[in-house]
Amino acid sequence: MPDQKLTVAALQAPFGDDTNANIETVAGLIREAAAAGAQVILPPELFQGPYFCKTQEEHWFAQAYPALEHPCVTALQPLARDLGVVIPVSIFEKDGPCYYNSLVMIDADGAAMGVYRKSHIPDGPGYMEKYYFRPGDTGFKVWPTRHGRIGVGICWDQWFPESARAMALMGADILMYPTAIGSEPHDDSLDTAARWRRAMQGHAVSNVMPVIAANRVGDEDGQVFYGTSFIADHAGAVVAELDRTETGFITASFDLDFLNRHRAAWGFFRDRRPEFYK
C-alpha cells in the first residue's frame, strides 16, 4: 500500500556531450531532492547528452541502447534502491532495428518496472524527432510504484489532453512529463514557455491531479532551453517552479486521499459522455 502523503520533485540542469557527467549531475540532484523528502523524482528528457534532434545526423543512432542496458538506467537503479525513491528515466532506446524515445520506470527498490515509448513524435525546425524515433507502441502507462500510481508522458505528449485523460482513467495519482523544449529556430519571436505551462495546468484542472514537468536549460549551439520546470497542484496552480537558467530541484507534497475524494467530488469522471466523443 503506497503512502498517502506523496512528495514529488522535478530536476532542472544543462547537459553536455559527456554522458557520465550528465548522469552524475542528475544523480547529485536526486540525492539532494531525496534528502529534502522527495519520494518520486523526475529528471528531464534525454538527459544522457545534448538534445540531438535539432538536426538529422545518423551518427546519433550509436547513442541508443536496449532499455534495460541503458547507462542512465543501470546507473540510477542502485541509487533508487539506496535512497528508496522512484525515478522515471528518459532514454534513447534501441530495440533491434527500431529506435524510440522511451522511459524506464525505476521503483523504490531499484527494479525496472517496464518501458513507456513516447506516443506523439514531433517534427519541425529544431525538433526533428521523426528522423530518430518510431511512434511508441506501448500505449500509455500508469505505474503502481511504492509511492503511488504515477503516469508519465514524454515532452510532446504533454500537449495532448487525450494523453493526460487516458492516464487519469488508468488510475494515476499524479502526472509527470520529462521535457526538452526551448527556442524555436524558425521564429526568434516565438516563446512557448507560457503556453507550455498553461497546457499542462489545464490537464491538472481537468483531471483534478497534480502535474510535474522537468525541462533542461542552457544554450546548445544556439538552441536555448528555457527551463521553467514546475509543479502544479490539482487546481492547476503552480506551487513550485524554477527559472529559465537555474540548475536545481523543486518539491511539493500532496495528500493522495484528499485528491481521490476531491476528484470524485468534482464529477469530471462521473459525467463523462464517451459515446459522444468518437
Side-chain angles (χ1 to χ4, degrees):
M1 183 72 176
D3 298 334
Q4 295 309 299
K5 297 287 187 181
L6 175 62
T7 300
V8 298
L11 311 182
Q12 181 171 288
F15 303 106
D17 293 322
D18 187 332
T19 297
N20 290 331
N22 295 333
I23 291 171
E24 189 49 48
T25 293
V26 167
L29 291 171
I30 288 171
R31 292 186 189 97
E32 293 179 31
Q39 299 158 293
V40 184
I41 302 172
L42 179 68
E45 181 187 20
L46 296 173
F47 65 84
Q48 69 185 65
Y51 179 75
F52 53 86
C53 307
K54 61 178 173 284
T55 56
Q56 297 181 355
E57 299 179 57
E58 65 183 56
H59 69 87
W60 288 114
F61 288 106
Q63 301 299 312
Y65 296 83
L68 300 187
E69 300 172 19
H70 197 286
C72 292
V73 173
T74 58
L76 294 181
Q77 282 183 286
L79 185 62
R81 181 189 64 238
D82 293 346
L83 298 175
V85 298
V86 175
I87 310 172
V89 181
S90 171
I91 63 167
F92 186 14
E93 180 195 2
K94 175 178 170 58
D95 181 17
C98 301
Y99 294 80
Y100 299 95
N101 188 336
S102 299
L103 181 136
V104 176
M105 181 64 81
I106 301 176
D107 206 354
D109 61 358
M113 301 183 73
V115 178
Y116 167 67
R117 291 169 173 163
K118 186 173 181 176
S119 299
H120 303 93
I121 309 298
D123 186 39
Y127 302 92
M128 299 179 180
E129 295 196 11
K130 281 187 167 68
Y131 176 76
Y132 296 100
F133 311 128
R134 291 170 61 93
D137 58 1
T138 60
F140 300 113
K141 296 278 191 178
V142 171
W143 313 95
T145 77
R146 181 188 296 177
H147 298 307
R149 294 180 59 84
I150 313 302
V152 184
I154 302 173
C155 201
W156 193 224
D157 289 333
Q158 69 208 350
W159 294 87
F160 293 83
E162 297 89 348
S163 302
R165 178 51 56 88
M167 291 186 282
L169 288 170
M170 294 168 70
D173 293 316
I174 63 170
L175 301 177
M176 291 187 146
Y177 295 101
T179 299
I181 190 169
S183 59
E184 303 290 339
H186 69 291
D187 185 353
D188 290 341
S189 69
L190 179 58
D191 185 341
T192 61
R195 72 183 75 182
W196 172 73
R197 278 194 177 188
R198 289 186 197 117
M200 286 177 280
Q201 288 173 273
H203 303 333
V205 173
S206 296
N207 295 289
V208 195
M209 186 172 298
V211 171
I212 299 90
N215 195 12
R216 65 173 66 205
V217 292
D219 186 334
E220 299 183 13
D221 295 325
Q223 189 172 24
V224 180
F225 293 89
Y226 52 57
T228 63
S229 301
F230 71 96
I231 300 173
D233 69 9
H234 64 284
V238 174
V239 295
E241 61 185 329
L242 291 158
D243 69 19
R244 286 177 173 259
T245 61
E246 64 189 312
T247 295
F249 70 92
I250 47 176
T251 65
S253 297
F254 300 101
D255 182 327
L256 299 185
D257 282 336
F258 165 78
L259 290 173
N260 280 320
R261 291 195 308 272
H262 202 59
R263 194 175 300 122
W266 269 83
F268 291 148
F269 298 92
R270 178 196 65 208
D271 297 340
R272 293 180 68 249
R273 298 297 305 276
E275 67 271 27
F276 296 151
Y277 301 160
K278 298 186 186 301

